[in-house]
Amino acid sequence: MTDASHFLDLFRYNDWANARVLEALEAAEPRHGKTVRFEKAMDLLSHVLRAQTVWLGRIRQDDDASQPFWHRDVLPDCRRRSEKTTRDWLAFL
């Protein structure tokens, strides 16, 4: 296994894991008010997805490197960010 294929495998797994978290949060999203646990899970998922964007931006030395790490996104935005960062990382690798 080459280093490149190893990193590609890791990011494919990362994409799979992020998709499972998104599915679980979409299924558990409270319809009437947010729970503390749901909000904390959204904080963490948003942070992970934003960090993926920021780190790729730092490697590429582009504007995405200046995003805030701790900003809670809504689920549809998390899904879009997850799909975009996966595409961008896989293209980079």
Side-chain angles (χ1 to χ4, degrees):
M1 176 181 285
T2 67
D3 288 340
S5 65
H6 175 69
F7 284 111
L8 287 169
D9 287 345
L10 288 174
F11 267 89
R12 287 185 188 110
Y13 173 79
N14 183 70
D15 181 49
W16 174 86
N18 285 343
R20 300 298 78 74
V21 171
L22 283 161
E23 289 170 6
L25 287 171
E26 288 165 347
E29 184 175 17
R31 301 295 178 232
H32 305 288
K34 303 295 184 195
T35 66
V36 173
R37 286 184 182 182
F38 182 83
E39 294 297 330
K40 182 63 175 172
M42 287 302 302
D43 286 342
L44 295 173
L45 178 62
S46 296
H47 173 74
V48 166
L49 296 174
R50 284 174 170 270
Q52 290 176 3
T53 301
V54 169
W55 278 108
L56 183 58
R58 288 178 179 174
I59 292 168
R60 290 179 169 169
Q61 298 179 341
D62 64 24
D63 292 337
D64 282 340
S66 63
Q67 292 187 29
F69 278 100
W70 288 107
H71 174 82
R72 182 185 304 146
D73 294 309
V74 294
L75 276 169
D77 291 341
C78 285
R79 182 164 291 284
R80 281 188 291 276
R81 183 179 300 278
S82 179
E83 291 168 356
K84 182 178 182 336
T85 58
T86 296
R87 278 191 314 272
D88 291 349
W89 270 103
L90 292 174
F92 174 76
L93 292 171

